[in-house]
Amino acid sequence: MSSPLGVTAENILDSLVEDIYTGKPPIRYCVGSGAFGRVMLGPGNILLIGGEPGGGKTALVMQWVVDALRHNEDLRAVVGNIEMHPNVLIARQIARLAEVDYSRIRDRKLIQ
């Protein structure tokens, strides 16, 4: 039973033991194969991605989000980014999925 102040350790342990004995794994969303197959993206998980400016952090996270949405129809995502316009974020994913050089999408030179 939930406490007015939150979840008790007893509740967590009861639920965990039940899941372990029934073989019910935690929810995990697929974000790709290979090394990305080990990324633990799911409810209750927080992923921290760090790196130098221009290192591809936004591109990586957007790839994970888009692939997770493609593989999990019921999944919904919210992306907050203060460095890039949403059109750019989506255009980069369109280029990746279409296997087209991003500059052709960016410069509107796809049909020539």
Side-chain angles (χ1 to χ4, degrees):
M1 157 177 283
S2 290
S3 155
L5 300 175
V7 179
T8 66
E10 181 180 14
N11 294 132
I12 292 170
L13 287 173
D14 289 345
S15 176
L16 179 61
V17 168
E18 181 179 338
D19 288 350
I20 290 170
Y21 279 114
T22 62
K24 180 181 175 187
I27 295 171
R28 191 167 138 190
Y29 302 115
C30 176
V31 296
S33 59
F36 290 162
R38 294 190 300 266
V39 173
M40 293 294 295
L41 179 64
N45 291 344
I46 296 174
L47 298 176
L48 177 62
I49 309 298
E52 61 186 46
K57 299 175 299 294
T58 299
L60 174 64
V61 171
M62 283 300 297
Q63 179 178 331
W64 285 351
V65 168
V66 169
D67 286 351
L69 290 167
R70 291 175 62 215
H71 291 101
N72 304 278
E73 292 180 5
D74 295 335
L75 182 63
R76 300 294 178 260
V78 174
V79 173
N81 185 302
I82 60 170
E83 296 177 339
M84 299 178 79
H85 193 278
N87 291 356
V88 174
L89 295 175
I90 297 300
R92 287 169 59 173
Q93 292 307 306
I94 290 170
R96 178 180 69 90
L97 295 171
E99 298 179 0
V100 173
D101 187 271
Y102 170 65
S103 66
R104 293 182 65 201
I105 301 281
R106 178 194 63 214
D107 299 336
R108 308 303 191 257
K109 294 183 178 179
L110 188 59
I111 301 172
Q112 288 186 342

